[in-house]
Amino acid sequence: MTSPLVTILDDEPEIRRILTETLEDAGFRTQSFARAREFEAALNRVTPDVCLVDLSLPDTDGLALVHRLALEQGAAVIIISGRAQVQDRVTGLELGADDYITKPFDPAEVVARVRARLRSGPRTAAPASETARFSGWTAHFDRYVLEDDTGAETPFSHAEGEVLRLFLDSPKRLISRAQMQEALGGAAGESFDRAMDVRISRLRTKLREDPKNPRLIKTIYGAGYIFLGDVDWV
């Protein structure tokens, strides 16, 4: 059985060396790149199991690259960055990253996070259906759009889609924060909770929910969320 492939994008040679040696010692295959253009060219030839991406890149905006990887390619992405502010972590997760590790880091932690991401299953695994109808809306997960009953379409991000699919797969059932973290991957904690709050807020806006009294995505304070619509996967 072929070992999982982890690609590393970081312009610091020492970081690439440490990550390469640690991951290969742990049984992974690796490819490392100093420039985004080389990294993206390699993605056209091979699909990695996990991408480790630095945000401070010399030839592109790291956050834009993360969003592109998650939204357009469905790649599993773990950000490794010196940006330690909570807002940077929230933004990275909201744009589609699966996890966020700050520098300086313990190499063993990186290995553990990669393994945790792989245990959650491939992000590109084909679901039984790509279209769900609920409460006058149709969610097209193959095109990342919500369609209302007039045919008007509103796009949603890959990150928002992950949360929406989680709700639509379990309508009228309480979904706790712990269950969300387990299903979506990433590290539990304040940054994950805030990222979920942002995604849910944006989904409510796109579903034209009254923020003071949402009718579809209900918050059960101290417990989690419940999606109240009837769902039909087609």
Side-chain angles (χ1 to χ4, degrees), residues 88-148:
D88 290 319
R89 297 168 65 90
V90 170
T91 300
L93 293 167
E94 172 58 25
L95 288 175
D98 296 272
D99 206 345
Y100 195 114
I101 300 171
T102 56
K103 298 177 182 178
F105 56 82
D106 184 334
E109 179 186 4
V110 176
V111 172
R113 299 284 189 94
V114 169
R115 285 176 171 158
R117 181 63 193 89
L118 292 172
R119 282 197 299 271
S120 69
R123 200 177 199 179
T124 55
S129 175
E130 292 287 355
T131 304
R133 294 185 179 134
F134 59 95
S135 305
W137 292 93
T138 302
H140 300 279
F141 288 95
D142 55 339
R143 297 189 290 121
Y144 293 98
V145 296
L146 281 165
E147 180 183 354
D148 68 14

Side-chain angles (χ1 to χ4, degrees), residues 27-218:
F28 296 100
R29 294 177 297 133
T30 67
Q31 290 182 331
S32 65
F33 306 90
R35 296 291 185 270
R37 62 179 179 273
E38 300 166 352
F39 172 77
E40 293 189 277
L43 292 181
N44 293 326
R45 300 188 299 270
V46 63
T47 301
D49 295 283
V50 178
C51 302
L52 303 180
V53 179
D54 184 24
L55 294 183
S56 300
L57 300 168
D59 59 338
T60 193
D61 176 66
L63 286 171
L65 174 61
V66 167
H67 185 56
R68 193 158 62 248
L69 288 170
L71 184 60
E72 297 178 3
Q73 300 190 28
V77 182
I78 298 176
I79 293 173
I80 298 184
S81 175
R83 304 181 193 177
Q85 297 297 317
V86 170
Q87 187 55 51
D88 290 319
R89 297 168 65 90
V90 170
T91 300
L93 293 167
E94 172 58 25
L95 288 175
D98 296 272
D99 206 345
Y100 195 114
I101 300 171
T102 56
K103 298 177 182 178
F105 56 82
D106 184 334
E109 179 186 4
V110 176
V111 172
R113 299 284 189 94
V114 169
R115 285 176 171 158
R117 181 63 193 89
L118 292 172
R119 282 197 299 271
S120 69
R123 200 177 199 179
T124 55
S129 175
E130 292 287 355
T131 304
R133 294 185 179 134
F134 59 95
S135 305
W137 292 93
T138 302
H140 300 279
F141 288 95
D142 55 339
R143 297 189 290 121
Y144 293 98
V145 296
L146 281 165
E147 180 183 354
D148 68 14
D149 54 9
T150 71
E153 294 185 346
T154 302
F156 57 85
S157 70
H158 188 285
E160 293 161 356
E162 286 187 320
V163 177
L164 180 60
R165 184 183 285 278
L166 185 61
F167 285 139
L168 299 183
D169 280 339
S170 303
K172 301 179 181 178
R173 291 172 54 190
L174 176 68
I175 300 176
S176 68
R177 293 279 187 150
Q179 289 172 318
M180 295 179 77
Q181 190 274 330
E182 181 179 356
L184 301 179
E190 180 185 359
S191 61
F192 178 85
D193 289 345
R194 290 186 61 182
M196 290 303 102
D197 290 341
V198 171
R199 295 185 198 185
I200 290 167
S201 176
R202 291 184 178 178
L203 281 173
R204 283 172 170 159
T205 298
K206 292 176 180 183
L207 292 168
R208 302 168 195 159
E209 295 266 75
D210 178 353
K212 295 182 179 180
N213 186 31
R215 63 189 180 87
L216 286 176
I217 303 173
K218 288 284 189 181

